[in-house]
Amino acid sequence: MEPDDISLYATTRALDPLDSFTSLCKRTWMIHSDGIFLNSSPLRYSFPLLLLQIFLASGVMLLIKVLLKPFSQPTVVSQILGGIILGPSFLCRITWFARNIFPLRGFIVIDMLTSFGFMFFFFLVGLQMDPWMLKKFNRKSCALGFFSVALPMLLTYTFSSVLINFTNLEPKTNYSLPVVSQAESIIAFPVIAHFLTELKIINSEFGRIALASSMVSSIFSFCVITFTVLSHHTTGDSFKMITIISTGISVGVIVIFIIRPTILWMIRRNPLGEPLKESYIVALFIAILVSGFCCQAIGLNAYFGPFVLGIVIPSGPPVGTAMAEKLDHITCWVFLPLYFVKNGLLLNIFSISFKKYLTVQFIALIGALGKFLGTFLTSLFCHMPKKDAMALGLVMNAQGVLELVIFKMIRSSKAIDYESFVVMCISMMVVMGVIAPLIKFLYDPSKRYQVYSRRTVMHSRPNSELRVLACVHDQENVPTIINLLEALNPSKRSPLSIYLLHLLELVGHSNPTVIPHKLTKRPSSKADPSKHIVNAFRYYEKNSHGFVKVFPFTEISYYKTMHDDVCSIALNKRTSLIIVPFYKNNGAMANKKAIRIMNHNVLDRAPCSVAVLVDRGVQITSRPLLATWFSYRVAVLFFGGADDQEALAIGARMAGHPSINLVVIRFLASGSVVGDNEEEKRFDSEVMNEFKLRMAGNYQVTYVEEVVTDGTGTISVIRSMENKYELILVGRQHDSRSRLTLGLEDFAERTELGTIGEVLASAEFLGNTTILVAQQQNAVHDGNDYNMGFFRDKYLVEADAEDMPIRRINV
């Protein structure tokens, strides 16, 4: 806290303004209140007063965030607005509120607590930054990053010079405008990353471009701000600053070459796959505090040490994940709200003259326009679509708490006056409030997954390569998925290309990552969480006689945006099927709700068909178990509709496996084909006739018709399947008006499985039977390209469909 800040707050009208003072006195015994029943007001004591201030800070900002959510407002808007509402602009204009809730003695406690919390905040900021991104820069990202800062700086400096030379402004305004023009041109990488995460587009290609560009912009901005601060010091102060910077570099070298090797040693000592030991976590907490103390002792800012420490700590599990989980919530919803309240207590928007507001706001808007134009024009030059280029230009205007810290630092160095600082804070709130809705209007990441052709198992040619994207959360998914892939009957005429994607939650890092793995002749010994999973698929590929190729990847991302990478890989690799695991009810998987959200997003946006795999068994080996079965029994439940047709197509591919016995059970309502739509009835019949024609002569395939009257009859048929099958396939969505599912709507609580899928997944009498719920691709631009000949194989001899034995059963 600067003395000017304390004196500024002390002059608040509601606080009995003090013209001049040099010290503040606090009664050391007035910490804990004796309670209102003993006539002891809690607001006169430091600790209960602090608790109330924390409650108001977090509560008001959370309430504003909820109220602004329908308007697509980012978190920083609610934080700045909450601080202003609690400050002298609004509530602190009330005498009782200012003297009792935010008295001057309480202001000092808030400042001390936020300074303590900000060390952890800057540690998290450093933890989120990936210095290895510097190696991935290309000319386009460098050009975007440079011009997004250079052009606004040029425009703002030009317009500020015009205002200074050709208008009658106050001397302090003339002094502040050049620095305001520089400050409004900077871009902070962590702020951009957080903003993209809020918009849920950080995993997209658009998000990656924005991250890379903002990293370049941040480096350029850091150089500009450093030069600005140094240029506003006297000769003696400049020499002091140069000494401090040299010392800071020395501290960075110590952290990198001494602290980082120690942390890597801790990681090696920690058991693979296990959470970080508690003793290591405590040691890192102490390291954060010690680094802040050391920097303060040598004249550096206390936040510098934790920031550098966060950068050198490896992101992700076990260290980065553990530290972020421990610090994230308390920092973001306790310490940061207090900081915005402290900032709001210094902002009196009614003390600004209208002329001063228009002048500084004009420069700030010119800076925003410059960032937009610099990014937009460079993006068009790099052949980016116009809407995406506009959205990227808006994203680069994002501002947050780091910009507030920079504005505060510039004001502390006397480079700008108080009124300019207030206007810059208001401008930040205005700009962020405008750009977030515009970005959501301009950029829809789901549209990029729409394709112009059918990418399904049903429409793939029988004797061609089948490409499958298999998603894995942990090692427990591996045996069942390998078993299912083996059941897809890879052969010389129809090989299988598997794109394996190990999904890991992103914690303690700001940029999601997709890591490709190289399959070697020897098992991997590298200590990473994907090692055992990749090795299991390596063994499967090795034993597949060349019919299977595996391309493994690891995705580290937030669950709420994980679907972007899943859909991107499926789109780029032209897969026909995505397999995603269903969360287990036995608690083996953590964060079930997050996995459900990811599955829903994949089902809604996938550029190909999707199959949700429900593993009800316990298998501990990574060997393809299907190879050990003499008879592996598979059933396809056919009610009608596109999803059941896709399940039937998957079953038809499995029918060629020598160990599989396939039973297709078609459900009919009162002797008629499912569905009230005559066109749908006709198409279901054609699909089934194609299937029977292709399977004619295959004595491992059986076709059964079950006639039922309502959902009760359907349940009876499913109960009769007890312990008869190792795998059951069914479509996800069915006609809601069909009598076949009448009365079963209550089972569809988890809509990623659909009504029948939920019945099968929750049926205890099915034992260890694996369930596969299929959804046919729905993100297609033109729906008129249905291929009716998807089951026909020109290499097979056509036979009469009547050769297929049919059993008709009335239930």
Side-chain angles (χ1 to χ4, degrees):
M1 177 63 65
E2 298 295 326
D4 289 346
D5 295 334
I6 299 175
S7 60
L8 177 66
Y9 185 65
T11 58
T12 301
R13 184 183 307 171
L15 283 175
D16 291 332
L18 301 174
D19 294 331
S20 63
F21 63 98
T22 58
S23 61
L24 287 172
C25 298
K26 288 181 62 67
R27 296 182 177 91
T28 56
W29 62 88
M30 296 188 68
I31 304 298
H32 300 281
S33 172
D34 294 328
I36 57 176
F37 297 106
L38 297 177
N39 295 323
S40 178
S41 173
L43 298 181
R44 297 180 59 190
Y45 295 83
S46 300
F47 184 66
L49 179 62
L50 177 63
L51 295 180
L52 179 61
Q53 290 169 341
I54 294 174
F55 163 72
L56 286 175
S58 301
V60 169
M61 292 177 191
L62 183 60
L63 176 62
I64 295 174
K65 181 180 179 181
V66 172
L67 294 177
L68 294 180
K69 187 176 182 180
F71 304 99
S72 302
Q73 294 301 303
T75 304
V76 68
V77 173
S78 62
Q79 291 172 330
I80 297 176
L81 186 58
I84 292 176
I85 289 175
L86 291 174
S89 300
F90 291 96
L91 291 181
C92 275
R93 297 179 74 87
I94 304 172
T95 302
W96 181 90
F97 188 87
R99 292 180 180 178
N100 292 277
I101 306 301
F102 290 103
L104 191 58
R105 54 185 171 83
F107 191 62
I108 308 301
V109 177
I110 290 177
D111 179 58
M112 293 174 61
L113 190 61
T114 52
S115 298
F116 176 77
F118 244 55
M119 288 198 300
F120 293 112
F121 172 74
F122 273 90
F123 171 78
L124 290 176
V125 169
L127 192 65
Q128 293 172 357
M129 298 188 70
D130 184 8
W132 302 110
M133 281 187 65
L134 298 173
K135 297 172 60 178
K136 303 177 183 179
F137 288 163
N138 53 33
R139 287 182 296 178
K140 292 182 179 180
S141 60
C142 290
L144 282 168
F146 175 77
F147 286 106
S148 63
V149 175
L151 185 59
M153 195 166 294
L154 176 63
L155 290 178
T156 54
Y157 189 79
T158 301
F159 278 93
S160 63
S161 299
V162 172
L163 290 176
I164 292 171
N165 294 320
F166 296 98
T167 59
N168 185 20
L169 299 176
E170 298 177 1
K172 58 182 180 180
T173 304
N174 292 338
Y175 179 77
S176 300
L177 281 185
V179 182
V180 171
S181 65
Q182 294 180 1
E184 290 292 348
S185 303
I186 62 174
I187 294 175
F189 166 77
V191 172
I192 300 293
H194 182 267
F195 185 53
L196 291 171
T197 303
E198 277 198 88
L199 295 175
K200 299 180 181 179
I201 56 176
I202 193 169
N203 285 58
S204 62
E205 188 66 25
F206 174 87
R208 292 189 180 92
I209 293 173
L211 283 177
S213 304
S214 63
M215 179 68 85
V216 178
S217 302
S218 296
I219 296 172
F220 189 36
S221 300
F222 175 78
C223 297
V224 171
I225 291 300
T226 302
F227 174 78
T228 301
V229 173
L230 288 177
S231 64
H232 284 79
H233 283 76
T234 62
T235 305
D237 289 335
S238 299
F239 177 77
K240 178 183 176 182
M241 289 294 295
I242 294 173
T243 304
I244 291 175
I245 291 174
S246 303
T247 308
I249 295 174
S250 302
V251 171
V253 171
I254 293 173
V255 171
I256 293 173
F257 293 101
I258 298 179
I259 304 299
R260 180 177 170 84
T262 304
I263 295 173
L264 295 177
W265 173 83
M266 292 166 54
I267 295 175
R268 290 193 296 268
R269 290 290 301 271
N270 199 71
L272 181 63
E274 295 293 327
L276 190 65
K277 293 180 180 179
E278 186 175 354
S279 58
Y280 293 164
I281 295 177
V282 174
L284 288 172
F285 277 135
I286 295 174
I288 296 173
L289 301 178
V290 171
S291 64
F293 170 78
C294 293
C295 288
Q296 192 78 68
I298 62 177
L300 290 173
N301 194 299
Y303 309 145
F304 177 75
F307 175 72
V308 176
L309 182 63
I311 290 179
V312 301
I313 288 181
S315 58
V319 178
T321 301
M323 296 301 294
E325 287 177 346
K326 299 292 183 182
L327 293 173
D328 187 61
H329 289 292
I330 190 172
T331 301
C332 293
W333 287 107
V334 175
F335 294 128
L336 274 186
L338 278 179
Y339 173 79
F340 280 99
V341 167
K342 186 186 77 171
N343 187 74
L345 292 175
L346 301 177
L347 303 180
N348 188 354
I349 62 176
F350 298 107
S351 66
I352 309 300
S353 65
F354 188 64
K355 181 179 180 181
K356 181 61 172 283
Y357 173 77
L358 289 180
T359 303
V360 179
Q361 183 66 74
F362 174 74
I363 295 298
L365 292 179
I366 290 296
L369 178 64
K371 291 179 185 177
F372 175 80
L373 290 177
T375 306
F376 176 71
L377 297 176
T378 308
S379 300
L380 291 181
F381 182 78
C382 296
H383 308 292
M384 182 180 287
K386 186 179 296 183
K387 276 193 173 183
D388 289 359
M390 293 174 66
L392 184 59
L394 294 173
V395 166
M396 299 301 277
N397 273 285
Q399 294 179 316
V401 64
L402 288 181
E403 278 81 4
L404 275 180
V405 173
I406 292 172
F407 296 165
K408 183 69 170 57
M409 181 178 65
I410 294 174
R411 177 174 173 264
S412 299
S413 65
K414 311 298 183 182
I416 60 175
D417 63 323
Y418 166 74
E419 292 184 345
S420 298
F421 171 72
V422 174
V423 177
M424 291 167 74
C425 294
I426 298 173
S427 174
M428 178 188 300
M429 184 177 63
V430 172
V431 170
M432 290 299 296
V434 171
I435 66 172
L438 288 177
I439 292 170
K440 289 191 174 183
F441 173 76
L442 289 172
Y443 183 74
D444 182 5
S446 62
K447 291 183 179 179
R448 67 186 297 267
Y449 304 129
Q450 293 181 343
V451 293
Y452 291 90
S453 61
R454 290 284 176 178
R455 295 186 184 180
T456 68
V457 178
M458 177 176 170
H459 293 86
S460 60
R461 291 179 296 177
N463 288 314
S464 63
E465 178 189 45
L466 179 65
R467 298 186 177 190
V468 178
L469 174 59
C471 300
V472 176
H473 288 289
D474 55 32
Q475 296 182 45
E476 293 185 3
N477 303 141
V478 173
T480 305
I481 289 182
I482 290 181
N483 209 29
L484 176 62
L485 294 170
E486 176 65 20
L488 290 174
N489 190 28
S491 62
K492 183 176 181 180
R493 296 172 64 183
S494 182
L496 190 64
S497 290
I498 303 170
Y499 296 92
L500 169 66
L501 187 60
H502 182 201
L503 305 174
L504 294 175
E505 184 180 9
L506 175 65
V507 181
H509 205 241
S510 64
N511 52 310
T513 307
V514 176
I515 305 171
H517 298 272
K518 185 178 292 185
L519 287 176
T520 58
K521 294 183 178 180
R522 295 183 179 181
S524 172
S525 60
K526 184 179 179 181
D528 64 77
S530 302
K531 180 187 71 172
H532 297 297
I533 294 174
V534 172
N535 285 342
F537 276 85
R538 173 194 170 276
Y539 283 121
Y540 173 53
E541 181 188 39
K542 182 180 178 181
N543 297 326
S544 64
H545 309 291
F547 303 152
V548 174
K549 292 182 179 179
V550 179
F551 305 93
F553 299 86
T554 296
E555 179 191 1
I556 306 174
S557 177
Y558 303 106
Y559 274 118
K560 60 184 178 182
T561 59
M562 197 172 278
H563 63 278
D564 278 325
D565 281 324
V566 174
C567 295
S568 294
I569 293 176
L571 180 70
N572 296 332
K573 303 302 181 182
R574 304 182 65 83
T575 62
S576 298
L577 181 65
I578 300 174
I579 301 174
V580 294
F582 184 70
Y583 62 86
K584 288 190 174 183
N585 291 323
N586 58 9
M589 281 190 191
N591 210 344
K592 296 179 181 179
K593 182 178 179 181
I595 295 174
R596 283 187 61 187
I597 292 173
M598 190 214 75
N599 288 347
H600 275 294
N601 290 334
V602 172
L603 288 165
D604 292 341
R605 296 171 172 82
C608 62
S609 295
V610 182
V612 182
L613 181 63
V614 183
D615 180 13
R616 300 165 54 92
V618 180
Q619 300 168 340
I620 59 175
T621 175
S622 61
R623 183 180 180 184
L625 300 180
L626 186 56
T628 65
W629 286 77
F630 175 74
S631 177
Y632 189 82
R633 299 164 296 178
V634 178
V636 177
L637 308 186
F638 190 89
F639 293 83
D643 292 350
D644 277 348
Q645 293 164 14
E646 186 70 8
L648 183 65
I650 296 173
R653 185 177 177 93
M654 293 180 177
H657 198 285
S659 300
I660 287 181
N661 289 311
L662 178 67
V663 177
V664 177
I665 303 175
R666 186 179 187 185
F667 288 79
L668 302 174
S670 300
S672 62
V673 179
V674 180
D676 296 328
N677 190 312
E678 292 299 325
E679 181 67 20
E680 183 178 306
K681 291 181 183 181
R682 182 186 64 81
F683 190 60
D684 285 338
S685 297
E686 291 186 10
V687 168
M688 191 57 69
N689 289 334
E690 286 276 2
F691 171 77
K692 291 188 288 185
L693 185 65
R694 183 181 176 189
M695 295 296 113
N698 188 341
Y699 297 101
Q700 292 178 277
V701 180
T702 304
Y703 174 75
V704 179
E705 289 183 353
E706 300 279 3
V707 181
V708 300
T709 57
D710 54 17
T712 304
T714 301
I715 294 295
S716 299
V717 174
I718 293 175
R719 290 192 64 89
S720 68
M721 300 167 63
E722 181 177 359
N723 296 325
K724 289 185 178 180
Y725 302 99
E726 281 68 50
L727 175 63
I728 297 177
L729 286 76
V730 70
R732 177 178 175 236
Q733 296 178 338
H734 302 95
D735 188 354
S736 59
R737 300 168 296 175
S738 172
R739 284 174 289 170
L740 299 178
T741 58
L742 185 64
L744 302 181
E745 294 82 4
D746 293 339
F747 285 94
E749 296 179 359
R750 296 176 288 227
T751 54
E752 65 262 45
L753 295 181
T755 302
I756 302 300
E758 181 62 31
V759 171
L760 293 171
S762 59
E764 296 182 0
F765 55 83
L766 289 178
N768 291 337
T769 301
T770 301
I771 312 297
L772 189 69
V773 181
Q775 173 186 279
Q776 194 174 80
Q777 172 199 17
N778 52 26
V780 182
H781 276 292
D782 185 4
N784 298 321
D785 59 343
Y786 247 62
N787 177 15
M788 298 299 298
F790 49 86
F791 275 126
R792 203 172 296 275
D793 188 343
K794 65 180 181 180
Y795 296 105
L796 296 178
V797 178
E798 295 187 3
D800 190 351
E802 298 301 325
D803 291 342
M804 172 69 65
I806 300 177
R807 289 189 290 136
R808 192 181 186 89
I809 303 175
N810 294 323
V811 179

